[in-house]
Amino acid sequence: MTSKAKVLVLGSGAREHALVWRLSQSSHVAEVICVPGNAGIAELARTVEMNIDDHASLVNFAKEEKVNLVVVGPEAPLVQGIADVFSAHHIAVVGPSRAAAQLEGSKVYSKEFMRRHGIPTAAFQSFDDPQAAIAYLDSRNEGPVVVKADGLAAGKGVYVASTLSAAKEAVQEIMLARRFEQAGDRIVIEEKLDGQEVSFHVLSDGKSFVPLAAAQDHKTLLDGDNGPNTGGMGAYSPPPIVDAALEEQILKQVIAPTLEGMRKEGAPFVGVLFVGLMIVEGQPQVLEYNVRFGDPETEVLMMRLKSDLYHLLRAVPEQGLSEQKLVWGAPAALSVVLASEGYPRVYTKGRTISGLQAAEDSPQIKVFHAGTGKNNAEFVTAAGRVLAVSASGESIDEAAKRAYDAIAKIDFEGKQFRRDIAYRARTHAVS
């Protein structure tokens, strides 16, 4: 009989909590370790306080623990090359090489890659000189554009500018004020696309790929898609806009040529590819590539998944995805983020959270911890996004009712959340 596996998950948010939760249910897994994890993850897995930017220490730790598989949650370590380091030490890892992670690590690289391989995306220009960027804006007709910092900016490096002056301010903030430091050495200026955003994930082993379910997240803070952008205030799956025909288009026009293009360029993609799409008049256009699971999309995908997650992820570094068949359980799932007062700007930490146990009163409800700590026996807030209250159901309406009923049982001072998650898919509002 084959011995059970030990899995190391890197990261500390609700995405990692959802992955740990599913991995811990696998009959193939003996133990899940999470570095650094959070207070909620510590209820399920062994958490170890280590710096995930210290690749050498992580490799030594994985060797000492005889880890069978490493799952990398956040993008920064992948862009820094952590997957190459684990692979060089013959430790199986779910995550692309540094070369392949450029798809997320550099907006300029990803846009030029799409241009080379005929992948649909907004028209764009890239710049490494702020004066040249401003001259280009002056040469355009007045109209909305999107200005993006080239490098990683924790989701904050994208400016949707409806006027010429707003676009110029974005260039100045990124390139002259150096808000994102070296991530703003270069920028992309692209046409603004109008439509519905969709998140689409696939697992790729470099040769074959397995598509996961489509999802849709809500980036703005307030109901009605108003207020400042955040790291995500909720998500649901499946979005009605993605029918079988559109999914086939996405696979044929975006996913397959992306993975084929990476192979041709000598950087086969092995890991999780998460593509942000804008559906414009029924046609998919790529907004951005991400080289890891999304957040809060992962929470809803894990609520729906029936397949053994370890078995599925293990097939990625083993190039065994062609033999995998995905099985979904719940037809629908929804996740609502509870955030701290003041998020996404200045917020207070350390506020006591009550009602967590009462909220999880059925197997269809799970509260994933995004940013929590412990004060003695009590959970406390420890970040801007605190919890992702998630529910599954036979329909989006049913999942929404469960999630919002659970939210009513959870409390902490200054709790804020959107009440309209999945409004496009719900037939009636949740009271």
Side-chain angles (χ1 to χ4, degrees):
M1 181 178 170
T2 308
S3 61
K4 291 189 177 184
K6 191 178 283 191
V7 184
L8 173 61
V9 175
L10 302 182
S12 61
R15 165 184 51 208
E16 289 76 25
H17 193 177
L19 293 171
V20 166
W21 175 65
R22 267 290 176 228
L23 286 165
S24 66
Q25 294 170 12
S26 170
S27 60
H28 302 286
V29 172
E31 184 184 18
V32 182
I33 306 167
C34 191
V35 174
N38 62 37
I41 293 172
E43 304 280 297
L44 278 176
R46 175 155 56 106
T47 57
V48 179
E49 191 60 44
M50 289 178 67
N51 182 358
I52 62 172
D53 293 328
D54 185 349
H55 299 176
S57 293
L58 287 172
V59 166
N60 290 336
F61 176 76
K63 285 181 175 179
E64 288 166 9
E65 291 287 342
K66 296 183 170 55
V67 165
N68 302 95
L69 183 68
V70 179
V71 181
V72 184
E75 63 275 10
L78 293 165
V79 172
Q80 293 161 7
I82 196 168
D84 305 83
V85 178
F86 280 118
S87 297
H89 289 269
H90 309 289
I91 299 168
V93 58
V94 179
S97 66
R98 182 174 188 161
Q102 288 182 90
L103 282 177
E104 181 168 3
S106 169
K107 296 290 192 298
V108 173
Y109 172 86
S110 68
K111 293 290 286 191
E112 291 177 348
F113 172 87
M114 286 183 262
R115 180 184 277 164
R116 287 195 297 275
H117 296 281
I119 295 161
T121 191
F124 74 98
Q125 296 287 335
S126 57
F127 300 91
D128 58 12
D129 175 4
Q131 300 311 319
I134 288 169
Y136 166 73
L137 289 170
D138 282 331
S139 73
R140 287 174 44 86
N141 292 326
E142 185 79 20
V145 295
V146 181
V147 183
K148 299 179 177 179
D150 175 54
L152 297 181
K156 298 179 179 67
V158 176
Y159 295 75
V160 179
S162 56
T163 65
L164 177 63
S165 61
K168 288 182 176 180
E169 283 174 21
V171 172
Q172 289 166 347
E173 189 163 333
I174 296 169
M175 302 194 81
L176 297 173
R178 308 292 292 169
R179 181 181 174 192
F180 309 109
E181 300 176 349
Q182 69 268 27
D185 286 348
R186 298 188 296 175
I187 60 168
V188 167
I189 299 175
E190 65 182 29
E191 301 291 334
K192 180 181 179 292
L193 299 174
D194 291 315
Q196 273 194 56
E197 284 194 46
V198 166
S199 302
F200 201 88
H201 288 72
V202 299
L203 299 177
S204 170
D205 63 13
K207 294 181 178 179
S208 303
F209 69 87
V210 171
L212 304 181
Q216 192 168 68
D217 80 337
H218 298 65
K219 289 189 171 66
T220 56
L221 182 71
L222 305 174
D223 287 1
D225 296 328
N226 293 309
N229 271 335
T230 70
M233 292 301 293
Y236 71 102
S237 174
I241 194 172
V242 184
D243 57 15
L246 181 55
E247 180 168 334
E248 189 60 35
Q249 268 186 283
I250 292 167
L251 295 177
K252 186 175 179 181
Q253 297 174 14
V254 175
I255 303 300
T258 296
L259 297 174
E260 178 61 24
M262 295 304 288
R263 282 193 293 272
K264 284 181 177 175
E265 299 200 4
F269 192 95
V270 180
V272 184
L273 180 66
F274 151 36
V275 187
L277 300 160
M278 185 72 81
I279 310 304
V280 182
E281 297 179 352
Q283 301 297 312
Q285 300 273 335
V286 177
L287 293 174
E288 64 178 4
Y289 290 115
N290 303 274
V291 298
R292 37 66 193 183
F293 280 109
D295 191 354
E297 293 91 345
T298 301
E299 291 90 294
V300 293
L301 294 178
M302 293 303 105
M303 290 299 292
R304 293 188 62 200
L305 186 68
K306 189 175 181 181
S307 296
D308 185 300
L309 182 61
Y310 174 77
H311 197 59
L312 195 60
L313 293 181
R314 181 75 207 195
V316 172
E318 290 181 348
Q319 295 193 330
L321 282 177
S322 62
E323 300 161 17
Q324 298 294 316
K325 183 163 177 59
L326 215 57
V327 180
W328 294 101
L334 178 142
S335 185
V336 183
V337 170
L338 305 189
S340 296
E341 182 180 16
Y343 177 77
R345 297 187 176 90
V346 179
Y347 52 84
T348 303
K349 299 179 184 180
R351 290 176 169 173
T352 301
I353 305 167
S354 63
L356 289 172
Q357 197 168 350
E360 291 184 326
D361 61 359
S362 83
Q364 290 81 28
I365 299 166
K366 183 67 186 172
V367 180
F368 298 114
H369 291 230
T372 63
K374 272 284 187 75
N375 182 5
N376 297 319
E378 292 184 316
F379 286 103
V380 295
T381 64
R385 291 193 297 177
V386 180
L387 302 166
V389 181
S390 308
S392 59
E394 292 299 310
S395 66
I396 295 294
D397 279 326
E398 187 175 79
K401 184 174 189 325
R402 284 182 177 146
Y404 282 100
D405 284 351
I407 286 169
K409 299 171 186 174
I410 299 169
D411 196 33
F412 57 87
E413 186 184 347
K415 176 181 81 173
Q416 60 168 330
F417 62 96
R418 281 184 60 160
R419 289 166 172 79
D420 67 344
I421 299 301
Y423 66 85
R424 293 185 181 93
R426 279 154 49 180
T427 56
H428 55 80
V430 175
S431 58

